[in-house]
Amino acid sequence: MIIAGIFLATAAGGRKAAVAIFDRLTGDRGEELTELSKSTVRSVVNGILGIAIIQTLLAGLGFLAMGIPDAGILALVCLVLAVVQIDILLILIPLSIYAFSFAGTGAAIAFLAWNIAVGLMNNVLKPILLARGVKAPMAVIFVGAIGGLIAHGLVGLFVGAVVLVLAYTLFMLWLDERTVPQDT
């Protein structure tokens, strides 16, 4: 938290440095690439971490409503699985089956339907939130985030997405660059 506070306090200087570095690397596109980096991080936070938290809270509410033992620990497991992009239905479906052993049939069916809705919301919301505000395909952001997570842990989730989106953008700029024939 202290390190994050220091970075936040010096954010304007960091932004100027990023613009200067990108300007030096790409000519006059420093502002555009700095904004792309910022929007990519925001997209990953909303699309991966935000959905993981929403899914965990909704799953935890379902656990509490059904009286599932150790609901907090199970919700924490769901959070970890959701962050590392493993479907939390691996936890929710067995718990739904378990609910049929102690709850009434109607309550167990409602819990199963709730768990399926919570587990599948990832498939609907993630593409919407990952691609929002970034001029790169959602697949590029997602592959960068997952590759970074595998290679470097939680920080890699953000760094991988930013690096891959910037590499994709620079590659596309390079492809679109028109060469002017020189007079000889």
Side-chain angles (χ1 to χ4, degrees):
M1 293 296 273
I2 293 170
I3 294 171
I6 291 170
F7 281 135
L8 187 59
T10 61
R15 180 177 175 74
K16 287 179 188 175
V19 170
I21 290 168
F22 283 133
D23 275 342
R24 181 80 172 144
L25 289 173
T26 63
D28 60 349
R29 297 190 182 268
E31 190 68 39
E32 175 187 347
L33 292 175
T34 302
E35 191 61 34
L36 180 64
S37 300
K38 182 177 102 175
S39 63
T40 302
V41 170
R42 183 173 290 135
S43 172
V44 169
V45 167
N46 291 338
I48 293 179
L49 295 181
I51 291 173
I53 290 170
I54 291 169
Q55 279 187 303
T56 299
L57 289 173
L58 292 175
L61 287 174
F63 300 160
L64 290 175
M66 287 301 291
I68 302 287
D70 298 324
I73 293 171
L74 290 169
L76 182 63
V77 170
C78 286
L79 178 64
V80 170
L81 289 176
V83 167
V84 297
Q85 301 303 294
I86 297 174
D87 201 347
I88 66 169
L89 285 172
L90 291 173
I91 300 292
L92 299 180
I93 297 300
L95 285 175
S96 298
I97 295 169
Y98 169 69
F100 279 96
S101 70
F102 71 87
T105 305
I109 290 173
F111 185 59
L112 175 64
W114 173 263
N115 284 341
I116 289 173
V118 168
L120 294 179
M121 76 184 319
N122 186 17
N123 300 336
V124 175
L125 293 178
K126 188 177 290 169
I128 295 169
L129 294 176
L130 271 180
R132 195 169 134 207
V134 179
K135 294 178 184 175
M138 190 264 317
V140 171
I141 301 167
F142 186 71
V143 168
I146 297 306
L149 178 70
I150 291 169
H152 301 291
L154 192 59
V155 172
L157 188 71
F158 302 101
V159 173
V162 169
V163 167
L164 199 58
V165 166
L166 288 175
Y168 170 82
T169 302
L170 290 173
F171 182 70
M172 295 309 287
L173 288 172
W174 178 72
L175 285 178
D176 289 341
E177 187 176 273
R178 302 199 190 281
T179 56
V180 177
Q182 297 179 1
D183 294 329
T184 54

